[in-house]
Amino acid sequence: MLLQKLALPMIGAEDETDPPWDHLGVLFSITPHLVAAVAILTATIQPYGAGEFGKVTLVLLILFAQVAIRGIGDYMYRHRSPADKLQLWLARFSVISLLSGVAWGLALAILYADSPPDTQVVALAIGCGIVQSAAARAYLAPRSTLLVITTVTAFVNVAAIREGNWVMVPICVAYVGFLASYMVRLITLDEKRIAAEKRTRVLVDALAESNEKLTEANEQLRRHARTDALTGLDNRRGFNEELTRRLDLAHKADRTLALLLIDVDHFKRFNDTHGHQAGDRCLQVVAELLQSAIRGLDAIAARYGGEEFALLLQGSEATDAIAFADTLRARIAQLLVPAEEGRAANLTVSIGVAVARADDDEDSIISRADRYLYAAKEAGRDSVRGTDTPMRADVSA
């Protein structure tokens, strides 16, 4: 189990739907390697003061090469192609990590070898800091981190053994073992974090889906609550809501609003003569014509109650609402409604038209349209009223 965790190339790398590019970006960053290079440079102060210019020059060349490689890797990663696969860059990072481990280990080994105790202590302290810093990021790329740690300690051990300092071997083995256990804990914690984030995402997605379904259900309920079941038009409740909204728009935005109240003439007689099913079909036919007439317009049609309908026209059509209403009346008069035994029946409507005034509220505009509707009925039906002038020459005022 321990080796399995330490052998992971990167936690989450197997998730092709959400590759951990951000994690890899942290690993490719050159900043930690600049810090490490500066730290190793501090260990060259004593050798430089002692006149060991060859050793210092060699360390400087190694560090320069290592920083240059990391800088090139960082630049290439930040300018990678969007089509690149994560595995390609993981492989490149593994190679660069190995080169970094070799560079750090070799530089520290050179500083350690044939140096006074003070320099050796500084080199070992810096080496411990570097490998511990690498271990702290082990959760990002366990396998590469372990490779860097073992490479650095191996180079330092070789330098120590050359000087007969065999005690460094068990110390380094114990230290690497400690770091390995530390790395496993970090990896385990990060695995738990990723698993928790995935569970959270699943819950968030499920919650979002539930909210979407709830919103759709509420919208359906709202539509059902304001829709007439027989005709599919807005019902009285829907009409009232629209009237309030459109009156407010008429007052605030100066958009002309007209209300048409439409009543099917002699509907009770039609029902008694042709049956209730034909009566229902009559209302549906009228509703379909109204919907067709307002398609593409800023308008709504509603079943106002029983055999009575309402239209709300807003905008340019509302300025000539009476002409619009008379066209509707003429079209409805040409309809043939299926009746019993394959027969068809004619029907007519009376229409009252009221155009909103500046001082109108819902009650006043409805009251005025209703008065005009009764005027149309009193004029013999199959007519439109909205002013003192009749809309048909053969109907008296």
Side-chain angles (χ1 to χ4, degrees):
M1 186 65 178
L2 176 67
L3 292 177
Q4 285 179 344
K5 289 188 181 296
L6 294 176
L8 289 171
M10 177 172 282
I11 298 173
E14 70 284 352
D15 186 358
E16 296 182 359
T17 61
D18 187 22
W21 288 108
D22 290 343
H23 281 188
L24 200 53
V26 172
L27 293 172
F28 267 101
S29 174
I30 192 176
T31 304
H33 304 280
L34 292 173
V35 174
V38 171
I40 294 175
L41 283 175
T42 60
T44 64
I45 295 175
Q46 287 181 326
Y48 182 81
E52 297 181 273
F53 302 122
K55 178 184 289 189
V56 172
T57 301
L58 185 56
V59 170
L60 288 175
L61 289 173
I62 292 171
L63 292 179
F64 177 81
Q66 194 269 338
V67 170
I69 290 172
R70 297 303 303 219
I72 293 170
D74 187 9
Y75 178 83
M76 290 177 63
Y77 179 79
R78 286 187 285 108
H79 293 82
R80 68 189 183 280
S81 168
D84 286 351
K85 299 293 185 182
L86 181 75
Q87 298 303 325
L88 170 66
W89 285 97
L90 266 178
R92 291 175 178 175
F93 173 73
S94 297
V95 173
I96 293 176
S97 293
L98 178 60
L99 293 176
S100 296
V102 171
W104 286 336
L106 186 57
L108 291 170
I110 291 171
L111 291 171
Y112 183 91
D114 302 323
S115 294
D118 288 349
T119 302
Q120 290 181 339
V121 169
V122 171
L124 289 175
I126 291 172
C128 288
I130 290 174
V131 296
Q132 196 149 343
S133 174
R137 300 195 303 167
Y139 67 92
L140 296 173
R143 186 168 64 193
S144 297
T145 302
L146 185 62
L147 184 62
V148 168
I149 291 173
T150 53
T151 301
V152 171
T153 54
F155 272 99
V156 174
N157 268 283
V158 169
I161 290 171
R162 284 182 66 252
E163 296 191 359
N165 191 2
W166 287 90
V167 73
M168 283 287 293
V169 176
I171 291 174
C172 285
V173 170
Y175 184 54
V176 171
F178 163 76
L179 291 178
S181 64
Y182 171 65
M183 288 165 59
V184 170
R185 287 198 299 273
L186 287 178
I187 295 165
T188 301
L189 288 173
D190 199 53
E191 286 176 333
K192 290 180 179 178
R193 178 190 62 80
I194 292 174
E197 287 180 352
K198 286 182 177 179
R199 288 195 299 270
T200 301
R201 282 199 298 270
V202 170
L203 291 174
V204 168
D205 290 343
L207 181 60
E209 184 179 356
S210 297
N211 284 339
E212 184 177 349
K213 290 180 178 178
L214 182 60
T215 301
E216 290 176 358
N218 286 335
E219 179 59 23
Q220 288 180 351
L221 285 174
R222 189 190 69 82
R223 285 198 299 268
H224 287 319
R226 56 177 287 168
T227 301
D228 178 62
L230 178 64
T231 63
L233 302 179
D234 278 13
N235 57 19
R236 183 66 171 271
R237 175 179 178 178
F239 165 78
N240 289 338
E241 292 176 0
E242 278 294 308
L243 178 59
T244 299
R245 185 181 72 83
R246 289 173 179 271
L247 264 178
D248 185 62
L249 188 62
H251 292 152
K252 291 181 178 178
D254 195 26
R255 285 181 53 79
T256 305
L257 175 67
L259 167 61
L260 283 63
L261 287 184
I262 306 163
D263 189 83
V264 179
D265 295 328
H266 303 298
F267 185 69
K268 184 177 185 306
R269 185 194 305 169
F270 187 96
N271 257 346
D272 293 341
T273 303
H274 302 290
H276 289 286
Q277 286 186 333
D280 287 348
R281 183 56 187 155
C282 166
L283 297 177
Q284 290 170 339
V285 167
V286 173
E288 290 167 4
L289 188 143
L290 295 180
Q291 284 282 49
S292 174
I294 65 171
R295 189 168 293 121
L297 304 181
D298 186 6
I300 68 127
R303 187 179 179 190
Y304 193 69
E307 70 275 17
E308 200 167 353
F309 296 88
L311 278 186
L312 287 170
L313 293 174
Q314 196 142 34
S316 57
E317 284 74 19
T319 60
D320 200 7
I322 293 179
F324 184 90
D326 197 54
T327 301
L328 274 181
R329 178 203 58 75
R331 289 179 62 183
I332 292 172
Q334 295 173 1
L335 293 175
L336 291 176
V337 180
E340 74 280 358
E341 299 177 356
R343 293 184 295 173
N346 296 100
L347 60 110
T348 62
V349 295
S350 299
I351 305 177
V353 181
V355 178
R357 298 169 179 168
D359 58 346
D360 264 332
D361 59 16
E362 291 86 344
D363 292 336
S364 63
I365 191 173
I366 291 174
S367 177
R368 199 162 64 255
D370 200 43
R371 288 200 306 272
Y372 283 127
L373 174 60
Y374 276 100
K377 286 182 171 295
E378 290 174 358
R381 294 182 170 82
D382 189 20
S383 61
V384 175
R385 287 292 183 276
T387 65
D388 293 334
T389 304
M391 290 305 299
R392 295 177 64 210
D394 60 333
V395 176
S396 59

